[in-house]
Amino acid sequence: MKLTAVAIIIAMLSPLAAHATLGAAPSAPAASASTPAKRLSALPATPAAPYTMRESHSADGVTIHEYVTPGNIVFAVTWDGPTRPDMTALLGSYFPNFVQAGSTTGHGTGPLIERTGDLRIESFGRPGNVMGKAYLPRLVPAGVDPAALQ
């Protein structure tokens, strides 16, 4: 319990990266000395895919995909890279759910899969190759399969 509280306090005091926050409007990337990021592309929504996918890369080499509804709300984020991205920035108000999921699965390097409540998280990999996704089922557009998001 004490470790969880300390992790939350540290995460809230650390600088935020320039990525969209799950459940909020996408944010424009802003570079800083500690967390520069570069927005690479945005694919527009089409009738076949009722969302926009935005890709960015952190200075650490993590690729982040943000999935945005036509109403300009991020319903999912995925990541792939040598380290886990700044989860506080990606998950926003859902970060405590992420911390709680991690504390219930134990401490270690195994996969983290949490499918309860409003937030779905899947994070797995090994040192140097970490990937995952987080999404809000209530915001996923009709006809979109979250399993297909990469």
Side-chain angles (χ1 to χ4, degrees), residues 22-51:
L22 195 61
S27 61
S32 72
S34 61
T35 57
K38 180 179 177 185
R39 175 91 50 212
L40 289 182
S41 63
L43 301 175
T46 65
Y51 59 85

Side-chain angles (χ1 to χ4, degrees), residues 1-12 88 95-107:
M1 178 67 178
K2 195 174 197 179
L3 180 62
T4 302
V6 170
I8 290 173
I9 291 169
I10 290 171
M12 290 183 162
T88 306
F95 181 74
N97 301 50
F98 173 73
V99 172
Q100 179 65 31
S103 68
T104 60
T105 60
H107 304 287

Side-chain angles (χ1 to χ4, degrees), residues 114-135:
E114 182 67 29
R115 293 186 178 124
T116 58
D118 193 31
L119 176 66
R120 306 293 192 262
I121 304 171
E122 300 172 11
S123 181
F124 48 92
R126 59 181 192 269
N129 186 20
V130 180
M131 58 196 77
K133 75 174 75 174
Y135 64 95

